[in-house]
Amino acid sequence: MTTTHIVLGLETSCDETAAAVVRLDADGSVEVLSSAIGTQYAQHAPYGGVVPEIAARSHVETIDAITAEAMKTAGVTYGDLTGVAATAGPGLVGGVMVGLSFGKAIALARNLPLVAVNHLEGHAVSARLAADIPYPFLLLLVSGGHCQLLAVEGVGACRRLGSTIDDAAGEAFDKIAKTLGLPYPGGPALEKLAEGGDPTAFTLPRALLGREGCDFSFSGLKTAAARQAEGVTTDKGRQDLAAAVQNAIARQLSERTDRAMAAYAAEHEGAPLRFVVAGGVAANKTVRSTLQTAATKRGFSFDAPPLAYCTDNAAMIALAGAERLALGISDPLDAPARPRWPLDAAAAAANPTHAFGRKGAKA
Ligand code: KG4
Ligand code: ZN
């Protein structure tokens, strides 16, 4: 790495319209110059979840202003940029196309290199926005759409160790929150409700406990929690059930991660052992502390991004782009928007555990 990169990042793959400017220096140090986010919660809340058409239209309406805000806060001009990085998938393709097309237009107009970033690679580098975490590391990527364990060996070099066979953990939080009558997005609301609840008041299934491998499963928990919710009539009961659900999710995440840690440690003998948890669910305090305990027991360092970089943001996309540009990697202006785009394509094709559809594994 010989030069400084100042990259504009754009993120529009779900219900957040985000733009950010990140500087990556030749010595590897990172500075987030700005990170602007426009959330669409209010527009989707009446429907209890994200409506793809509403999301795409909202991205079109706000991306101009949000990008202008990010550039202004960063105090840079388009002439100062060394590249543009836009999420190119996986995600809701209507939204992905908005940010990617916007990024392509800037790249073309300003003669800048474009990086078409995998959203998951953005989450994978998100902890590096605020801490010096060298490659390689073990990553638990846990969000609304994804739940996987990855050995991250370097820029764009991820190997999948495990993945959910049904729902993602964030999806489980959101769906169970809905059955408890909580508003969208359910994860943060469920965490709040669980405060002061007694997690031992309910018994919930322990999926995959003791089972080989590092895969996850949350659909049984979702069904069991929905059934238990039907019999809950008091506020205290709702608090207790929320606490039990949160504990069950945290416990499964840490049990499966513990297995991945054992496998990863065996493969990286003598090297520093680092563990990172990223994605929206990493914002959950119980999940964080349970994983931190597991990491400490196994001799791994523990890192999680600051809360602002756990959920979707463009700073992580800008950094993923900058790391690629520093290695001389960029993409052509006809780079496609990809609704499905596994980080570890080989593993996903061989063992498509998550949402395998006509078009192949989502992640
Ligand atoms: O990373 P993210 O913003 O979007 C995806 O790429 O999916 O993750 C959003 C997910 C949602 O399911 C949301 O409910 C969950 O992360 N989430 C939480 C918390 N904050 C966000 N889940 C549990 N506790 C939280 N505090
Ligand atoms: Zn995400």
Coordinates of all heavy atoms in Angstrom, one line a residue, residues 190-238:
L190 N -37.2 -5.7 21.3 CA -37.2 -6.9 22.2 C -36.2 -6.8 23.2 O -36.4 -7.2 24.4 CB -37.0 -8.2 21.3 CG -37.3 -9.5 22.0 CD1 -37.9 -10.5 21.1 CD2 -36.0 -10.1 22.7
E191 N -35.0 -6.3 22.9 CA -33.9 -6.1 23.9 C -34.4 -5.2 25.0 O -34.2 -5.5 26.2 CB -32.7 -5.5 23.2 CG -31.6 -5.3 24.3 CD -30.2 -4.9 23.7 OE1 -30.2 -4.4 22.5 OE2 -29.2 -5.2 24.3
K192 N -35.1 -4.1 24.6 CA -35.6 -3.2 25.6 C -36.7 -3.9 26.6 O -36.6 -3.7 27.8 CB -36.2 -2.0 24.9 CG -36.4 -0.8 25.8 CD -36.3 0.5 25.0 CE -36.1 1.7 25.9 NZ -36.9 1.7 27.1
L193 N -37.6 -4.6 25.9 CA -38.6 -5.3 26.7 C -38.0 -6.3 27.7 O -38.5 -6.5 28.8 CB -39.6 -6.0 25.8 CG -40.7 -6.8 26.4 CD1 -41.7 -5.9 27.2 CD2 -41.5 -7.6 25.3
A194 N -36.9 -6.9 27.2 CA -36.3 -8.0 28.0 C -35.6 -7.5 29.3 O -35.3 -8.3 30.2 CB -35.2 -8.8 27.2
E195 N -35.3 -6.2 29.3 CA -34.7 -5.6 30.5 C -35.5 -5.9 31.7 O -36.7 -5.6 31.8 CB -34.5 -4.1 30.4 CG -33.3 -3.7 29.5 CD -33.4 -2.2 29.2 OE1 -34.0 -1.4 29.9 OE2 -32.7 -1.8 28.1
G196 N -35.0 -6.5 32.7 CA -35.7 -6.8 34.0 C -36.6 -8.0 33.9 O -37.2 -8.4 34.9
G197 N -36.6 -8.7 32.7 CA -37.3 -10.0 32.6 C -36.5 -11.1 33.2 O -35.3 -11.0 33.3
D198 N -37.2 -12.2 33.6 CA -36.6 -13.4 34.1 C -36.5 -14.4 33.0 O -37.5 -15.1 32.7 CB -37.4 -13.9 35.3 CG -36.9 -15.2 35.8 OD1 -35.7 -15.7 35.4 OD2 -37.6 -15.9 36.6
P199 N -35.2 -14.6 32.5 CA -35.1 -15.6 31.3 C -35.4 -17.0 31.7 O -35.6 -17.8 30.8 CB -33.6 -15.4 30.9 CG -32.9 -14.8 32.1 CD -34.0 -14.0 32.9
T200 N -35.4 -17.3 33.0 CA -35.7 -18.7 33.4 C -37.2 -19.1 33.5 O -37.6 -20.2 33.7 CB -35.0 -19.1 34.7 OG1 -35.6 -18.3 35.7 CG2 -33.5 -18.9 34.7
A201 N -38.0 -18.0 33.3 CA -39.4 -18.3 33.5 C -40.1 -19.1 32.4 O -41.2 -19.6 32.5 CB -40.2 -16.9 33.6
F202 N -39.3 -19.2 31.2 CA -39.8 -20.0 30.1 C -38.7 -21.0 29.7 O -37.5 -20.7 29.7 CB -40.2 -19.1 28.9 CG -41.4 -18.3 29.1 CD1 -41.3 -17.0 29.7 CD2 -42.6 -18.8 28.7 CE1 -42.5 -16.3 29.9 CE2 -43.8 -18.0 28.9 CZ -43.7 -16.8 29.5
T203 N -39.2 -22.2 29.2 CA -38.2 -23.1 28.7 C -38.4 -23.1 27.1 O -39.5 -23.3 26.6 CB -38.5 -24.5 29.2 OG1 -38.5 -24.4 30.6 CG2 -37.4 -25.5 28.8
L204 N -37.3 -22.9 26.4 CA -37.4 -22.8 25.0 C -36.4 -23.9 24.4 O -35.5 -24.3 25.1 CB -37.0 -21.4 24.5 CG -37.9 -20.3 24.8 CD1 -37.3 -18.9 24.7 CD2 -39.2 -20.4 24.0
P205 N -36.7 -24.4 23.2 CA -35.9 -25.5 22.6 C -34.4 -25.0 22.4 O -34.2 -23.9 22.1 CB -36.6 -25.7 21.3 CG -37.4 -24.6 21.0 CD -37.8 -23.9 22.3
R206 N -33.5 -26.0 22.5 CA -32.1 -25.7 22.3 C -31.7 -26.4 21.0 O -31.2 -27.5 21.0 CB -31.3 -26.2 23.5 CG -31.8 -25.7 24.8 CD -30.9 -26.0 26.0 NE -29.7 -25.3 25.8 CZ -28.7 -25.3 26.8 NH1 -28.8 -26.0 27.8 NH2 -27.6 -24.6 26.6
A207 N -31.9 -25.7 19.9 CA -31.7 -26.3 18.6 C -30.2 -26.6 18.3 O -29.4 -25.9 18.8 CB -32.2 -25.4 17.5
L208 N -30.0 -27.8 17.7 CA -28.6 -28.2 17.3 C -27.6 -28.4 18.4 O -26.4 -28.6 18.2 CB -28.0 -27.2 16.3 CG -28.9 -26.9 15.0 CD1 -28.2 -25.8 14.1 CD2 -29.0 -28.2 14.2
L209 N -28.1 -28.3 19.7 CA -27.2 -28.5 20.8 C -26.4 -29.8 20.7 O -27.0 -30.8 20.6 CB -27.9 -28.4 22.1 CG -27.1 -28.5 23.4 CD1 -26.2 -27.2 23.5 CD2 -27.9 -28.7 24.6
G210 N -25.1 -29.7 20.7 CA -24.3 -30.9 20.7 C -24.1 -31.4 19.3 O -23.3 -32.4 19.1
R211 N -24.8 -30.9 18.3 CA -24.7 -31.4 16.9 C -23.4 -30.9 16.3 O -22.8 -29.9 16.6 CB -25.9 -30.8 16.1 CG -26.1 -31.4 14.7 CD -26.9 -32.6 14.8 NE -28.3 -32.3 15.2 CZ -29.3 -31.9 14.3 NH1 -29.0 -31.8 13.1 NH2 -30.5 -31.7 14.8
E212 N -22.8 -31.8 15.5 CA -21.5 -31.5 14.7 C -21.6 -30.3 13.9 O -22.7 -29.9 13.5 CB -21.3 -32.7 13.8 CG -20.7 -33.9 14.4 CD -19.3 -33.7 15.0 OE1 -18.4 -33.4 14.1 OE2 -19.1 -33.8 16.2
G213 N -20.5 -29.6 13.6 CA -20.5 -28.5 12.7 C -20.9 -27.2 13.4 O -21.0 -27.1 14.6
C214 N -20.9 -26.2 12.6 CA -21.2 -24.8 13.1 C -22.4 -24.2 12.5 O -22.5 -22.9 12.4 CB -19.9 -23.9 12.8 SG -18.4 -24.7 13.3
D215 N -23.4 -24.9 12.1 CA -24.6 -24.3 11.5 C -25.5 -23.9 12.6 O -25.4 -24.3 13.7 CB -25.3 -25.3 10.6 CG -24.5 -25.5 9.2 OD1 -23.7 -24.6 8.9 OD2 -24.7 -26.5 8.6
F216 N -26.5 -23.0 12.2 CA -27.4 -22.5 13.1 C -28.8 -22.8 12.7 O -29.1 -23.1 11.5 CB -27.4 -20.9 13.1 CG -26.0 -20.4 13.5 CD1 -25.1 -20.1 12.5 CD2 -25.7 -20.1 14.8 CE1 -23.8 -19.6 12.8 CE2 -24.5 -19.5 15.2 CZ -23.5 -19.3 14.2
S217 N -29.8 -22.8 13.6 CA -31.2 -23.0 13.3 C -32.0 -22.2 14.3 O -31.9 -22.4 15.5 CB -31.6 -24.5 13.3 OG -33.0 -24.6 13.2
F218 N -33.0 -21.4 13.8 CA -33.8 -20.6 14.7 C -35.3 -20.8 14.5 O -36.1 -20.2 15.2 CB -33.4 -19.1 14.5 CG -32.0 -18.8 15.0 CD1 -31.0 -18.5 14.1 CD2 -31.7 -18.7 16.3 CE1 -29.7 -18.3 14.5 CE2 -30.5 -18.4 16.8 CZ -29.4 -18.2 15.8
S219 N -35.7 -21.6 13.5 CA -37.1 -21.7 13.2 C -37.9 -22.4 14.3 O -39.0 -22.0 14.6 CB -37.4 -22.4 11.8 OG -37.0 -23.7 11.9
G220 N -37.3 -23.4 15.0 CA -38.0 -24.1 16.1 C -38.2 -23.1 17.2 O -39.3 -23.1 17.8
L221 N -37.2 -22.3 17.5 CA -37.3 -21.3 18.6 C -38.5 -20.3 18.3 O -39.3 -20.0 19.1 CB -36.0 -20.6 18.7 CG -36.0 -19.4 19.7 CD1 -36.1 -19.9 21.1 CD2 -34.7 -18.6 19.6
K222 N -38.5 -19.9 17.0 CA -39.5 -19.0 16.6 C -40.9 -19.5 16.8 O -41.8 -18.9 17.4 CB -39.3 -18.7 15.1 CG -40.1 -17.6 14.5 CD -39.8 -17.4 13.0 CE -40.2 -18.6 12.2 NZ -39.8 -18.5 10.8
T223 N -41.1 -20.8 16.4 CA -42.4 -21.4 16.6 C -42.8 -21.6 18.0 O -43.9 -21.3 18.5 CB -42.4 -22.8 15.9 OG1 -41.9 -22.7 14.6 CG2 -43.8 -23.4 15.8
A224 N -41.8 -22.1 18.8 CA -42.0 -22.3 20.3 C -42.4 -21.0 20.9 O -43.3 -20.9 21.8 CB -40.8 -22.9 20.9
A225 N -41.6 -19.9 20.6 CA -41.9 -18.6 21.2 C -43.2 -18.1 20.9 O -43.9 -17.5 21.7 CB -40.8 -17.6 20.8
A226 N -43.6 -18.3 19.6 CA -45.0 -17.8 19.2 C -46.1 -18.5 20.0 O -47.1 -17.9 20.4 CB -45.2 -18.0 17.7
R227 N -45.9 -19.8 20.2 CA -46.9 -20.6 20.9 C -46.9 -20.1 22.4 O -48.0 -19.9 22.9 CB -46.5 -22.1 20.9 CG -47.7 -23.0 20.7 CD -47.4 -24.4 20.5 NE -46.2 -24.9 21.0 CZ -45.2 -25.5 20.4 NH1 -45.3 -25.6 19.1 NH2 -44.1 -25.9 20.9
Q228 N -45.8 -19.9 23.0 CA -45.8 -19.4 24.4 C -46.4 -18.0 24.5 O -47.0 -17.7 25.5 CB -44.3 -19.4 24.9 CG -43.6 -20.7 24.7 CD -43.2 -21.3 26.1 OE1 -43.9 -21.2 27.0 NE2 -42.1 -22.0 26.1
A229 N -46.1 -17.2 23.5 CA -46.6 -15.8 23.5 C -48.2 -15.8 23.6 O -48.7 -14.9 24.2 CB -46.2 -15.1 22.3
E230 N -48.8 -16.8 23.0 CA -50.3 -16.9 23.0 C -50.8 -16.9 24.4 O -51.9 -16.4 24.7 CB -50.8 -18.1 22.2 CG -50.7 -17.9 20.7 CD -50.9 -19.2 19.9 OE1 -51.4 -20.2 20.6 OE2 -50.5 -19.2 18.8
G231 N -50.1 -17.6 25.3 CA -50.6 -17.8 26.7 C -50.1 -16.7 27.6 O -50.5 -16.7 28.8
V232 N -49.4 -15.7 27.1 CA -48.9 -14.7 28.0 C -49.9 -13.5 28.1 O -50.3 -13.0 27.0 CB -47.5 -14.1 27.5 CG1 -47.1 -12.9 28.2 CG2 -46.5 -15.2 27.6
T233 N -50.3 -13.2 29.3 CA -51.3 -12.1 29.4 C -50.9 -10.9 30.2 O -51.5 -9.8 30.1 CB -52.6 -12.7 30.2 OG1 -52.1 -13.3 31.4 CG2 -53.3 -13.7 29.3
T234 N -49.7 -11.0 30.9 CA -49.3 -9.9 31.7 C -48.0 -9.2 31.1 O -47.3 -9.8 30.3 CB -48.9 -10.3 33.1 OG1 -47.8 -11.3 33.0 CG2 -50.1 -11.0 33.8
D235 N -47.8 -8.0 31.5 CA -46.5 -7.3 31.0 C -45.3 -8.0 31.5 O -44.3 -8.1 30.8 CB -46.5 -5.8 31.5 CG -47.4 -5.0 30.7 OD1 -47.9 -5.4 29.6 OD2 -47.7 -3.8 31.1
K236 N -45.4 -8.5 32.8 CA -44.3 -9.3 33.4 C -44.0 -10.5 32.5 O -42.8 -10.8 32.2 CB -44.6 -9.6 34.8 CG -43.5 -10.5 35.5 CD -42.3 -9.6 35.9 CE -41.3 -10.3 36.7 NZ -40.3 -11.1 35.9
G237 N -45.1 -11.2 32.1 CA -44.9 -12.4 31.3 C -44.2 -12.1 30.0 O -43.4 -12.8 29.5
R238 N -44.6 -10.9 29.4 CA -44.0 -10.5 28.1 C -42.5 -10.2 28.3 O -41.7 -10.6 27.5 CB -44.7 -9.3 27.5 CG -46.1 -9.6 27.0 CD -46.9 -8.4 26.6 NE -46.4 -7.8 25.3 CZ -45.8 -6.6 25.2 NH1 -45.7 -5.8 26.3 NH2 -45.4 -6.1 24.1

